[in-house]
Amino acid sequence: MKKISLKHGQSGIIEYNDLKITTNLNIYDKSSAAHLIGDISLEVQNNGESIASFYINNDPSESSYYAKAYKKYFLTFLIENSNYYLSIEPIRLGKMFALLNTGSIMVGDKSDLEIELIDCYHEWGYDGPPEDKDRKYFDTANYTLKVITKDTIKSFNFYDSIIKNKYTIALENYTIDILSDRYTHTSCLLEMIINKK
C-alpha cells in the first residue's frame, strides 16, 4: 500500500507499481463562493488520464464515496486529523468501493475476475398512454455490468429499484453485492463489495 500526503493544489508525479499519479486537491475555505465553503475535491490522474475524482460535500445528508476502483487498485481518499491522504492499494476482497463507468477492474492474483460498468442510462415517463387514468410516472436508472471470468463473459442488466435491497450477483467463485448507485447526466457509479465464496 502507498499512502500519499496531499496538500492544496496540484502534486508532482507519484509512482506506484505501474501507475504515474498526479493529484489536484481543492479545499474550499472562507475565500470560496458561499455554497462551496467546507467542500473538498480531489482529482486523480494516471499518465494524464483522469482515473478518479472525489467530492466531499459539506452537507452531511449527501453521500460521499471515499474508495474507488481503477484497474487492479483501490484509490481511497482519507481525512485523518485534518490531514488529507490518497491511499493506493491492490484490490482486496470484502472492502466497499465505488465502480465508475470509466473503466474496468481486475480482481484476484491472476486477474481471474474482471468487472466493467459498460452502460448506464436514465429512463422516465409514464407507463401508459394519456387516456389511461391509472397510468403512473416512473423515473429510473438502468445499469449494465459486464463480468468476465476465466471461462465466460456475462452481462447483468438491472434497474436502480432492485439495488435498494442489495442486489447480489452470484458467480462460480465470487459474489458481487451491489449496495447503492448514483446516476448523473455525465457519470454514474455503483457502490459494491466483492467476496470470494
Side-chain angles (χ1 to χ4, degrees), residues 126-138:
Y126 290 92
D127 62 359
E131 57 272 11
D132 183 353
K133 293 178 182 176
D134 295 326
R135 72 180 183 154
K136 293 184 175 62
Y137 182 79
F138 65 89

Side-chain angles (χ1 to χ4, degrees), residues 59-183:
D59 181 353
S61 67
E62 293 194 15
S63 296
S64 296
Y65 298 90
Y66 295 93
K68 296 185 179 174
Y70 172 72
K71 293 191 176 176
K72 57 186 177 180
Y73 300 104
F74 279 145
L75 306 169
T76 307
F77 183 34
L78 305 169
I79 303 173
E80 298 172 351
N81 301 318
S82 299
N83 294 311
Y84 306 99
Y85 302 94
L86 175 67
S87 164
I88 305 172
E89 61 184 319
I91 286 179
R92 58 187 165 91
L93 302 175
K95 179 174 178 173
M96 188 170 24
F97 68 94
L99 176 65
L100 306 170
N101 63 318
T102 53
S104 62
I105 62 162
M106 292 160 276
V107 179
D109 295 334
K110 298 179 181 178
S111 300
D112 54 346
L113 175 65
E114 185 174 348
I115 303 172
E116 183 178 3
L117 179 54
I118 58 171
D119 195 18
C120 54
Y121 58 90
H122 187 215
E123 294 180 358
W124 69 97
Y126 290 92
D127 62 359
E131 57 272 11
D132 183 353
K133 293 178 182 176
D134 295 326
R135 72 180 183 154
K136 293 184 175 62
Y137 182 79
F138 65 89
D139 186 348
T140 188
N142 184 295
Y143 299 96
T144 303
L145 200 64
K146 181 169 78 173
V147 179
I148 303 171
T149 58
K150 289 181 180 176
D151 302 322
T152 60
I153 299 174
K154 291 183 180 180
S155 291
F156 299 89
N157 184 270
F158 49 91
Y159 288 95
D160 59 352
S161 57
I162 200 169
I163 298 170
K164 294 185 185 355
N165 299 319
K166 183 177 81 168
Y167 175 54
T168 299
I169 297 172
L171 305 169
E172 186 177 338
N173 297 317
Y174 295 93
T175 58
I176 304 169
D177 291 326
I178 300 172
L179 308 173
S180 69
D181 71 304
R182 183 166 65 198
Y183 178 90

